[in-house]
PDB file of all heavy atoms in Angstrom:
ATOM      1  N   ARG W   2      -0.804  18.422 -17.076  1.00  0.00           N
ATOM      2  CA  ARG W   2      -1.582  17.610 -16.157  1.00  0.00           C
ATOM      3  C   ARG W   2      -1.289  16.050 -16.365  1.00  0.00           C
ATOM      4  O   ARG W   2      -1.097  15.647 -17.466  1.00  0.00           O
ATOM      5  CB  ARG W   2      -3.070  17.795 -16.348  1.00  0.00           C
ATOM      6  CG  ARG W   2      -3.539  19.278 -16.075  1.00  0.00           C
ATOM      7  CD  ARG W   2      -4.971  19.439 -16.109  1.00  0.00           C
ATOM      8  NE  ARG W   2      -5.583  18.940 -14.936  1.00  0.00           N
ATOM      9  CZ  ARG W   2      -6.958  18.861 -14.722  1.00  0.00           C
ATOM     10  NH1 ARG W   2      -7.780  19.189 -15.704  1.00  0.00           N
ATOM     11  NH2 ARG W   2      -7.455  18.424 -13.575  1.00  0.00           N
ATOM     12  N   VAL W   3      -1.335  15.363 -15.290  1.00  0.00           N
ATOM     13  CA  VAL W   3      -1.066  13.901 -15.288  1.00  0.00           C
ATOM     14  C   VAL W   3      -2.413  13.226 -15.199  1.00  0.00           C
ATOM     15  O   VAL W   3      -3.155  13.324 -14.238  1.00  0.00           O
ATOM     16  CB  VAL W   3      -0.180  13.462 -14.126  1.00  0.00           C
ATOM     17  CG1 VAL W   3      -0.005  11.893 -14.144  1.00  0.00           C
ATOM     18  CG2 VAL W   3       1.122  14.105 -14.217  1.00  0.00           C
ATOM     19  N   ALA W   4      -2.749  12.469 -16.182  1.00  0.00           N
ATOM     20  CA  ALA W   4      -4.042  11.778 -16.326  1.00  0.00           C
ATOM     21  C   ALA W   4      -3.899  10.287 -15.900  1.00  0.00           C
ATOM     22  O   ALA W   4      -3.002   9.616 -16.237  1.00  0.00           O
ATOM     23  CB  ALA W   4      -4.579  11.856 -17.744  1.00  0.00           C
ATOM     24  N   ILE W   5      -4.960   9.851 -15.139  1.00  0.00           N
ATOM     25  CA  ILE W   5      -5.147   8.436 -14.822  1.00  0.00           C
ATOM     26  C   ILE W   5      -6.025   7.869 -15.878  1.00  0.00           C
ATOM     27  O   ILE W   5      -7.238   8.295 -15.941  1.00  0.00           O
ATOM     28  CB  ILE W   5      -5.723   8.260 -13.431  1.00  0.00           C
ATOM     29  CG1 ILE W   5      -4.861   8.997 -12.369  1.00  0.00           C
ATOM     30  CG2 ILE W   5      -5.873   6.780 -13.085  1.00  0.00           C
ATOM     31  CD1 ILE W   5      -5.462   9.065 -11.022  1.00  0.00           C
ATOM     32  N   VAL W   6      -5.550   6.965 -16.690  1.00  0.00           N
ATOM     33  CA  VAL W   6      -6.395   6.475 -17.795  1.00  0.00           C
ATOM     34  C   VAL W   6      -6.880   5.041 -17.571  1.00  0.00           C
ATOM     35  O   VAL W   6      -7.669   4.520 -18.362  1.00  0.00           O
ATOM     36  CB  VAL W   6      -5.660   6.487 -19.157  1.00  0.00           C
ATOM     37  CG1 VAL W   6      -5.239   7.994 -19.469  1.00  0.00           C
ATOM     38  CG2 VAL W   6      -4.418   5.639 -19.128  1.00  0.00           C
ATOM     39  N   GLY W   7      -6.498   4.443 -16.451  1.00  0.00           N
ATOM     40  CA  GLY W   7      -6.991   3.119 -16.192  1.00  0.00           C
ATOM     41  C   GLY W   7      -6.105   2.391 -15.268  1.00  0.00           C
ATOM     42  O   GLY W   7      -4.983   2.727 -15.001  1.00  0.00           O
ATOM     43  N   GLY W   8      -6.633   1.246 -14.749  1.00  0.00           N
ATOM     44  CA  GLY W   8      -5.835   0.388 -13.894  1.00  0.00           C
ATOM     45  C   GLY W   8      -6.533  -0.872 -13.552  1.00  0.00           C
ATOM     46  O   GLY W   8      -7.746  -0.962 -13.661  1.00  0.00           O
ATOM     47  N   VAL W   9      -5.751  -1.856 -13.074  1.00  0.00           N
ATOM     48  CA  VAL W   9      -6.302  -3.136 -12.708  1.00  0.00           C
ATOM     49  C   VAL W   9      -5.609  -3.578 -11.389  1.00  0.00           C
ATOM     50  O   VAL W   9      -4.511  -3.134 -11.080  1.00  0.00           O
ATOM     51  CB  VAL W   9      -6.182  -4.216 -13.739  1.00  0.00           C
ATOM     52  CG1 VAL W   9      -6.950  -3.790 -15.051  1.00  0.00           C
ATOM     53  CG2 VAL W   9      -4.697  -4.479 -14.034  1.00  0.00           C
ATOM     54  N   ARG W  10      -6.191  -4.549 -10.763  1.00  0.00           N
ATOM     55  CA  ARG W  10      -5.562  -5.210  -9.622  1.00  0.00           C
ATOM     56  C   ARG W  10      -6.018  -6.665  -9.653  1.00  0.00           C
ATOM     57  O   ARG W  10      -7.056  -7.020 -10.156  1.00  0.00           O
ATOM     58  CB  ARG W  10      -5.850  -4.551  -8.306  1.00  0.00           C
ATOM     59  CG  ARG W  10      -7.338  -4.610  -7.865  1.00  0.00           C
ATOM     60  CD  ARG W  10      -7.487  -3.981  -6.495  1.00  0.00           C
ATOM     61  NE  ARG W  10      -8.861  -3.924  -5.960  1.00  0.00           N
ATOM     62  CZ  ARG W  10      -9.444  -4.898  -5.291  1.00  0.00           C
ATOM     63  NH1 ARG W  10      -8.806  -6.005  -5.045  1.00  0.00           N
ATOM     64  NH2 ARG W  10     -10.691  -4.741  -4.902  1.00  0.00           N
ATOM     65  N   THR W  11      -5.198  -7.465  -9.011  1.00  0.00           N
ATOM     66  CA  THR W  11      -5.636  -8.862  -8.718  1.00  0.00           C
ATOM     67  C   THR W  11      -6.715  -8.872  -7.630  1.00  0.00           C
ATOM     68  O   THR W  11      -6.823  -7.841  -6.941  1.00  0.00           O
ATOM     69  CB  THR W  11      -4.514  -9.749  -8.232  1.00  0.00           C
ATOM     70  OG1 THR W  11      -4.106  -9.305  -6.945  1.00  0.00           O
ATOM     71  CG2 THR W  11      -3.324  -9.743  -9.176  1.00  0.00           C
ATOM     72  N   PRO W  12      -7.436  -9.936  -7.469  1.00  0.00           N
ATOM     73  CA  PRO W  12      -8.176  -9.995  -6.205  1.00  0.00           C
ATOM     74  C   PRO W  12      -7.145  -9.887  -5.032  1.00  0.00           C
ATOM     75  O   PRO W  12      -5.991 -10.339  -5.126  1.00  0.00           O
ATOM     76  CB  PRO W  12      -8.785 -11.446  -6.268  1.00  0.00           C
ATOM     77  CG  PRO W  12      -8.824 -11.719  -7.736  1.00  0.00           C
ATOM     78  CD  PRO W  12      -7.637 -11.081  -8.345  1.00  0.00           C
ATOM     79  N   PHE W  13      -7.554  -9.228  -3.963  1.00  0.00           N
ATOM     80  CA  PHE W  13      -6.729  -9.198  -2.790  1.00  0.00           C
ATOM     81  C   PHE W  13      -7.166 -10.399  -1.922  1.00  0.00           C
ATOM     82  O   PHE W  13      -8.341 -10.468  -1.553  1.00  0.00           O
ATOM     83  CB  PHE W  13      -6.880  -7.910  -2.067  1.00  0.00           C
ATOM     84  CG  PHE W  13      -6.112  -6.706  -2.672  1.00  0.00           C
ATOM     85  CD1 PHE W  13      -5.457  -6.853  -3.901  1.00  0.00           C
ATOM     86  CD2 PHE W  13      -6.146  -5.497  -2.084  1.00  0.00           C
ATOM     87  CE1 PHE W  13      -4.755  -5.860  -4.483  1.00  0.00           C
ATOM     88  CE2 PHE W  13      -5.454  -4.386  -2.669  1.00  0.00           C
ATOM     89  CZ  PHE W  13      -4.806  -4.568  -3.870  1.00  0.00           C
ATOM     90  N   VAL W  14      -6.241 -11.273  -1.550  1.00  0.00           N
ATOM     91  CA  VAL W  14      -6.614 -12.486  -0.831  1.00  0.00           C
ATOM     92  C   VAL W  14      -5.744 -12.731   0.320  1.00  0.00           C
ATOM     93  O   VAL W  14      -4.631 -12.219   0.449  1.00  0.00           O
ATOM     94  CB  VAL W  14      -6.520 -13.703  -1.821  1.00  0.00           C
ATOM     95  CG1 VAL W  14      -7.405 -13.511  -3.007  1.00  0.00           C
ATOM     96  CG2 VAL W  14      -5.078 -13.930  -2.286  1.00  0.00           C
ATOM     97  N   LYS W  15      -6.235 -13.458   1.258  1.00  0.00           N
ATOM     98  CA  LYS W  15      -5.520 -13.767   2.511  1.00  0.00           C
ATOM     99  C   LYS W  15      -4.233 -14.523   2.195  1.00  0.00           C
ATOM    100  O   LYS W  15      -4.202 -15.471   1.404  1.00  0.00           O
ATOM    101  CB  LYS W  15      -6.420 -14.582   3.428  1.00  0.00           C
ATOM    102  CG  LYS W  15      -5.801 -14.814   4.854  1.00  0.00           C
ATOM    103  CD  LYS W  15      -6.777 -15.487   5.733  1.00  0.00           C
ATOM    104  CE  LYS W  15      -6.241 -15.677   7.112  1.00  0.00           C
ATOM    105  NZ  LYS W  15      -7.163 -16.360   8.032  1.00  0.00           N
ATOM    106  N   ALA W  16      -3.105 -14.128   2.839  1.00  0.00           N
ATOM    107  CA  ALA W  16      -1.856 -14.749   2.632  1.00  0.00           C
ATOM    108  C   ALA W  16      -1.894 -16.213   3.037  1.00  0.00           C
ATOM    109  O   ALA W  16      -2.714 -16.587   3.900  1.00  0.00           O
ATOM    110  CB  ALA W  16      -0.734 -14.013   3.373  1.00  0.00           C
TER     111      ALA W  16
END
Side-chain angles (χ1 to χ4, degrees):
R2 300 186 77 187
V3 177
I5 302 169
V6 299
V9 299
R10 65 177 178 88
T11 66
F13 283 3
V14 301
K15 188 174 182 179

